[in-house]
Amino acid sequence: MQTHISTLIERGKSTLGRIWVGTPGWVVYLAAVIAVAAWLAANAVRPMADVDLDLSLVQPELGQAYLVKLGRPQGTLPIFSALTDSVKKPKASQLRLYEASRPLGPPHSPHKLVREEGQGRYSHWGGYLYFSTSDNTDPRTNGRTYRAVYPLSIAPWFEAAIFLLVLTALIRAVSSQWSRVRSVSLIGADFFLDPAVDRRSPWVWFILGLGAVGVAWLYIFGLWWTGKSASLTVAGILPVSDSLGYQKCAREIIDLGQAYVWCHARPLYTSFFASLWLLSNRHLEITLLLQAAVLTGCIVIFAKEAARWLGLGPALMVAIAVFLFSQQHAFALVMTENIGLALGLLALALLLNAAVRGRLAIAYLGLAVLTLALHARAGAFIVLPFVVLWIGYLAHRQERSFFLHSGLAVLSVVCAVLANFALISSIGGEIFGAHSNFPLTFYGLSAGGDWMTIMRDHPELPVDDQAEAATEIYRLAFENIRNDPTVFLLSLLKNEGRYFQWVLFDYADGPIHGALWLAWVAGLFISAVFARSDPRAALLLAITLGEMASAPIIAGDGGARLFAATSSVQPLLAAYAVVRIFQTTALRRLYASFTKPEMPAGEPPRAAYAMLVVLGLAIALPQSPVRKAFAENPAAGIEVCEKGYETVVSTLHRNGVVLTIRGNTSPARLWPFRVNYKQLAAGIPDDSWFKSDFVVEPPLQIVQAPQLLANDFTTLKRLFWTGRDELPMGPLVRLCVDLSETRNFAQAPYYRIVSYKELD
């Protein structure tokens, strides 16, 4: 059977080679010219969609919001698609919605406002229309008609196909024997595709690493200078929601030696962040820069290992893709994606090294690190059994026992899980609290919703203590599945579709996204073809299949960031496909070949080992006796505020965060941090759930600071100050707070500071 499959594969490769070599060049060039002409014509005649909403397909979403899928109207060529809003282009859609003949709006409304206020607001997002009626009635029963009018754009797959066809024509022209640039092509191919290039220049990766760290820091400084927000960090500096929670966890671990129950689900990142926070002397700005440097270092280590396989050029392209993912989901954020992505990159570097050197011990270590990555940032856990099978396959290639080494791989996973449990116990948590979000996700799938569905359906459950409520949540979920299994199956299928549409290369747009997606699909098939002969191709295939198997469960609850630990495989698979295609076409015509690069057997992944030691020390430091030397003690002998006001004593220049918002007469500055109020509002995406909270009038200072008095020690205080003078950033400050006057920022109450006093 295997011989027959191998024969078919060889015949297929031979046939493709004959087609490439035998096709006249003018045919390829003519096809490229026709494709470009078709693209120009399609842009010139882009049709306008005018569709009446099918009210039978409209579904209630949340609150006043209703949801309906909008696609390409019937009778329209498949080369067109609807342009929708996205994270990077929040106002890309030009859709106009009408209730009878009355226009609704405003468009591009944040989903929060559509749900809570309604009154005609709508958002055309990701292929779906989130809308509300003018009077917040049910559009399915109010007797009115609803019509959507929007221009169609060129479909990304069509633009990507044209891009690849033009690229093929260029490769054909460059690789022709009569081409005058043949020698230049050979030099370029030697530099970009020869895996030995990094060994000829030992300093190249050090220089690239310094440059990459500099770019990451420039990005963070740019956020601070312009006031632009990144996910759960306002103006790049003020953490909100989960980001604020992790900062609180780190403070409690250092000063108290334990953390509250919410922190127990993610002990790896909490400990890692706490160590960086100590190294920065409790300055959040420096902590974010150190965190970005560590993550960028892991990207460079991973790229170096990829270069030993694919060459310098493809490895740099992969590194850029991972860098863009980090920019969107990790840099300037106090979020678990940082440690999950960092450990995932190191794990993949170790596994690639093990594949080419045949060292099973390195493979076990890589699998253990990948397990920790998936505990640090919960994600595609089904990848783990696929990698276990891959290690068994790697052993079988060396004529060792498949079952014995698969069992040892399972043991490495168990050891990593136990290490995570030990870390939870060290901060005062219960091991069953790990991944306690999964019952919420499972219930959401059973009810056709998301992880928050259980809170709406059963508000009486103590979901804040998820470990305690897990049994009841599972019971309710299985009851839903028994009553209507179709809902559960449709939820799984819908999430699988989200993986292909929203998760893969979510940092790219337009034809680039389409080209990457096509290359990824090609890589999936090519890695399957070469899996038997190249264990690195088999590794990419195993991890990708594990991601696809995990997607139906998790893709709907957080998008691409949930796949942080394994996200680097996506651009690597696409790059592998491009290199393989190029090697078997253009390079063959150039009489050059780098199809079987070999790495010296005696070169271990020293950089990955060194970074693992650094991360291990960072994670272990808060659990060691050294922690007590850095712990702060409660302040004593402080005069309290007058009756009716709460006394808060804290340090504002460190330990806390102060976002100073000023008008046009006060220039922006990096330290102490200050931003213009217009820049702040403009820098928050329109679809953000907290945008309306930060459309404010200056002057205003938003403060997040820990209480240093004994009776409420380390408790995070959320405060605001509206005085024209700025709060002092000295060593110790007493703040008098009026608890009766509040303002909401990011759906959390902040209390007004009425006076302050700088203490000695």
Side-chain angles (χ1 to χ4, degrees):
M1 180 65 178
Q2 292 182 346
T3 304
H4 182 64
I5 294 176
S6 300
T7 303
L8 290 177
I9 291 173
E10 290 300 323
R11 286 180 180 177
K13 291 165 59 178
S14 177
T15 301
L16 290 175
R18 287 197 301 270
I19 292 174
W20 174 261
V21 176
T23 303
W26 67 267
V27 174
V28 179
Y29 308 143
L30 180 61
V33 171
I34 293 175
V36 173
W39 180 79
L40 293 173
N43 271 286
V45 298
R46 285 190 297 173
M48 181 73 72
D50 190 340
V51 297
D52 292 323
L53 300 188
D54 187 346
L55 299 181
S56 64
L57 301 179
V58 173
Q59 297 294 328
E61 205 250 350
L62 287 174
Q64 311 299 336
Y66 292 82
L67 181 70
V68 65
K69 184 174 179 59
L70 284 181
R72 177 175 51 86
Q74 292 185 354
T76 307
L77 292 175
I79 64 173
F80 297 106
S81 66
L83 186 64
T84 66
D85 293 342
S86 64
V87 173
K88 288 191 173 182
K89 296 182 179 180
K91 294 187 178 181
S93 173
Q94 301 178 41
L95 181 142
R96 295 295 175 264
L97 181 64
Y98 297 88
E99 186 179 70
S101 59
R102 174 186 178 183
L104 297 178
H108 317 293
S109 294
H111 295 174
K112 174 188 174 184
L113 294 182
V114 179
R115 294 162 180 156
E116 294 181 357
E117 300 183 17
Q119 297 179 343
R121 293 175 173 83
Y122 65 89
S123 169
H124 187 200
W125 187 273
Y128 289 86
L129 177 63
Y130 297 79
F131 74 103
S132 58
T133 61
S134 59
D135 55 359
N136 292 341
T137 56
D138 190 334
R140 300 168 298 176
T141 58
N142 63 12
R144 304 172 197 146
T145 60
Y146 293 85
R147 183 168 61 99
V149 180
Y150 52 97
L152 296 176
S153 61
I154 306 299
W157 73 263
F158 184 60
E159 291 185 325
I162 292 174
F163 173 79
L164 292 177
L165 188 56
V166 172
L167 182 62
T168 301
L170 290 174
I171 293 174
R172 184 61 179 267
V174 169
S175 63
S176 296
Q177 296 181 32
W178 46 264
S179 175
R180 295 180 180 178
V181 295
R182 178 176 179 272
S183 59
V184 177
S185 302
L186 280 171
I187 294 173
D190 179 66
F191 180 78
F192 284 104
L193 296 179
D194 184 2
V197 66
D198 70 299
R199 297 196 297 274
R200 291 199 301 266
S201 304
W203 287 95
V204 65
W205 290 106
F206 179 76
I207 296 172
L208 288 173
L210 289 179
V213 171
V215 172
W217 285 2
L218 284 175
Y219 167 72
I220 296 174
F221 281 125
L223 293 180
W224 295 343
W225 186 256
T226 61
K228 187 175 181 180
S229 298
S231 185
L232 296 181
T233 303
V234 179
I237 194 63
L238 185 76
V240 298
S241 189
D242 287 2
S243 283
L244 182 58
Y246 290 121
Q247 187 183 7
K248 179 182 178 182
C249 293
R251 183 181 296 110
E252 290 189 353
I253 287 178
I254 295 299
D255 291 334
L256 301 178
Q258 59 183 9
Y260 72 110
V261 64
W262 185 85
C263 311
H264 301 162
R266 303 287 188 270
L268 284 163
Y269 180 66
T270 300
S271 300
F272 168 73
F273 183 80
S275 293
L276 296 185
W277 190 56
L278 282 181
L279 286 174
S280 68
N281 194 25
R282 306 193 184 216
H283 288 88
L284 180 60
E285 299 90 336
I286 301 175
T287 304
L288 293 176
L289 294 175
L290 291 175
Q291 179 178 261
V294 171
L295 178 53
T296 304
C298 294
I299 294 174
V300 174
I301 292 170
F302 164 70
K304 189 173 189 293
E305 202 63 47
R308 291 171 175 163
W309 179 25
L310 303 178
L312 179 61
L316 291 179
M317 295 299 103
V318 172
I320 290 172
V322 179
F323 192 91
L324 292 175
F325 179 93
S326 304
Q327 177 184 326
Q328 189 161 326
H329 300 292
F331 291 153
L333 295 174
V334 187
M335 293 293 287
T336 55
E337 282 75 14
N338 284 279
I339 190 67
L341 179 57
L343 289 173
L345 289 166
L346 295 179
L348 189 56
L350 292 169
L351 292 171
L352 287 172
N353 188 277
V356 72
R357 299 177 66 216
R359 300 294 181 89
L360 293 173
I362 298 178
Y364 301 145
L365 177 60
L367 179 57
V369 174
L370 181 60
T371 305
L372 290 174
L374 288 168
H375 278 80
R377 166 63 273 178
F381 274 100
I382 302 180
V383 164
L384 295 178
F386 280 88
V387 178
V388 167
L389 294 176
W390 175 81
I391 291 177
Y393 150 80
L394 193 63
H396 181 70
R397 282 175 55 89
Q398 303 174 25
E399 298 183 352
R400 300 183 184 183
S401 171
F402 173 90
F403 295 103
L404 172 62
H405 290 281
S406 296
L408 291 175
V410 172
L411 183 61
S412 70
V413 172
V414 172
C415 290
V417 173
L418 292 177
N420 186 65
F421 286 165
L423 197 58
I424 295 175
S425 298
S426 70
I427 61 174
E430 298 181 1
I431 61 175
F432 298 107
H435 307 295
S436 51
N437 280 342
F438 182 75
L440 312 185
T441 296
F442 188 64
Y443 181 88
L445 292 171
S446 72
D450 56 19
W451 67 276
M452 296 181 65
T453 304
I454 184 68
M455 304 176 194
R456 297 189 292 268
D457 292 354
H458 298 278
E460 73 281 0
L461 289 177
V463 293
D464 290 336
D465 188 0
Q466 295 161 4
E468 177 183 334
T471 303
E472 180 62 15
I473 295 174
Y474 278 126
R475 186 191 68 78
L476 293 170
F478 282 114
E479 183 178 320
N480 288 341
I481 295 173
R482 285 195 301 270
N483 293 337
D484 192 352
T486 305
V487 173
F488 181 70
L489 294 175
L490 289 177
S491 296
L492 296 177
L493 291 174
K494 186 177 180 180
N495 279 351
E496 189 68 41
R498 285 171 171 165
Y499 172 77
F500 291 105
Q501 184 178 5
W502 293 345
V503 172
L504 290 176
F505 311 108
D506 74 319
Y507 42 82
D509 286 320
I512 295 178
H513 179 272
L516 288 171
W517 195 90
L518 289 176
W520 179 87
V521 172
L524 197 60
F525 287 99
I526 294 173
S527 62
V529 170
F530 289 98
R532 289 188 60 204
S533 60
D534 188 346
R536 293 165 295 191
L539 174 64
L540 296 188
L541 181 64
I543 295 178
T544 302
L545 292 177
E547 270 199 351
M548 294 170 63
S550 304
I553 302 172
I554 64 173
D557 277 352
R561 67 185 184 88
L562 295 184
F563 295 83
T566 55
S567 61
S568 54
V569 173
Q570 299 167 12
L572 185 60
L573 185 64
Y576 172 67
V578 173
V579 169
R580 270 294 183 183
I581 293 171
F582 190 73
Q583 287 172 342
T584 55
T585 54
L587 289 184
R588 181 174 295 177
R589 297 177 65 84
L590 285 166
Y591 303 106
S593 176
F594 305 104
T595 57
K596 294 182 179 180
E598 295 295 337
M599 179 182 147
E603 190 170 347
R606 296 185 183 90
Y609 292 156
M611 185 60 78
L612 280 177
V613 171
V614 171
L615 293 179
L617 290 175
I619 293 170
L621 176 63
Q623 279 68 49
S624 70
V626 178
R627 172 195 66 81
K628 296 181 180 179
F630 297 96
E632 290 191 341
N633 298 315
I638 305 297
E639 181 183 357
V640 299
C641 299
E642 61 183 273
K643 187 177 181 180
Y645 297 128
E646 181 184 23
T647 303
V648 175
V649 175
S650 190
T651 53
L652 301 185
H653 72 295
R654 55 188 291 275
N655 241 333
V657 180
V658 179
L659 174 60
T660 302
I661 306 169
R662 291 298 186 186
N664 297 327
T665 58
S666 301
R669 69 181 181 212
L670 295 179
W671 181 258
F673 187 80
R674 183 167 65 193
V675 66
N676 180 272
Y677 75 106
K678 292 182 179 179
Q679 284 185 323
L680 177 65
I684 301 176
D686 289 339
D687 66 300
S688 174
W689 54 273
F690 56 74
K691 181 178 178 67
S692 59
D693 293 343
F694 289 92
V695 180
V696 297
E697 290 295 328
L700 175 66
Q701 286 185 288
I702 302 174
V703 179
Q704 297 171 350
Q707 173 67 282
L708 298 184
L709 292 179
N711 62 343
D712 215 6
F713 186 58
T714 76
T715 301
L716 182 72
K717 298 297 182 179
R718 296 185 295 263
L719 314 168
F720 69 93
W721 167 252
T722 56
R724 293 196 171 275
D725 54 330
E726 296 183 7
L727 294 171
M729 306 299 287
L732 204 61
V733 179
R734 187 198 68 182
L735 307 172
C736 296
V737 180
D738 184 355
L739 298 180
S740 65
E741 188 172 344
T742 65
R743 293 179 66 171
N744 280 340
F745 297 107
Q747 298 183 359
Y750 284 67
Y751 302 95
R752 188 172 76 88
I753 301 171
V754 296
S755 65
Y756 64 84
K757 180 181 180 181
E758 196 167 1
L759 305 176
D760 296 332

